[in-house]
Amino acid sequence: QVQLVESGGGLVQAGGSLRLSCAASGRTIGTRAMGWFRQAPGKEREFVAAISRSSGSTLYADSVKGRFTISRDNAKNTVYLQMNSQKPEDTAVYYCAAGGAYIPRYEAYTYDYWGQGTQVTVSS
């Protein structure tokens, strides 16, 4: 079992930055791809970013490409999402997920473990 706990969410003005963290416990996440997803009110959960187990490969949703950066520190069993130039449409609950494979994937069904989420609100 892998337990994931997100932190770092909050309220930020448009154009601002936040850094989300996802701390894993239970088992190492070093063999797994990790991802971030988000869900806005009234909308379905959507893919944001993913990273391979060795950080050699990353994927981003078109809506965040160039603004968000995913990274990981396997020694700390932690994954990060640096969010810059934030927009009101980035407002959502952000979820960290641990994948069943070592390559990053867009599809939510390929992730085995999920955190409880952290709220990010971007004001205009």
Side-chain angles (χ1 to χ4, degrees):
Q1 291 284 341
V2 176
Q3 292 80 43
L4 303 172
V5 178
E6 303 93 338
S7 62
L11 175 64
V12 64
Q13 288 188 336
S17 298
L18 280 176
R19 187 195 196 201
L20 304 183
S21 297
C22 172
S25 61
R27 290 185 177 182
T28 178
I29 59 170
T31 60
R32 297 175 176 269
M34 297 294 295
W36 286 95
F37 291 75
R38 67 187 182 187
Q39 187 167 18
K43 295 186 177 182
E44 293 186 353
R45 189 173 298 189
E46 65 173 1
F47 170 81
V48 175
I51 188 168
S52 64
R53 63 181 180 180
S54 63
S55 302
S57 179
T58 55
L59 291 175
Y60 294 95
D62 288 344
S63 59
V64 307
K65 201 170 293 184
R67 300 188 298 120
F68 290 12
T69 302
I70 188 172
S71 62
R72 66 190 297 164
D73 185 336
N74 287 340
K76 295 182 178 180
N77 235 20
T78 302
V79 181
Y80 306 96
L81 184 68
Q82 177 67 43
M83 305 185 293
N84 299 328
S85 302
Q86 289 195 263
K87 305 175 181 180
E89 50 265 43
D90 293 327
T91 295
V93 177
Y94 283 71
Y95 299 90
C96 173
Y102 61 87
I103 57 173
R105 298 284 297 271
Y106 295 101
E107 304 90 342
Y109 72 82
T110 64
Y111 294 81
D112 297 329
Y113 301 98
W114 294 80
Q116 293 299 307
T118 185
Q119 176 70 47
V120 172
T121 303
V122 184
S123 63
S124 58

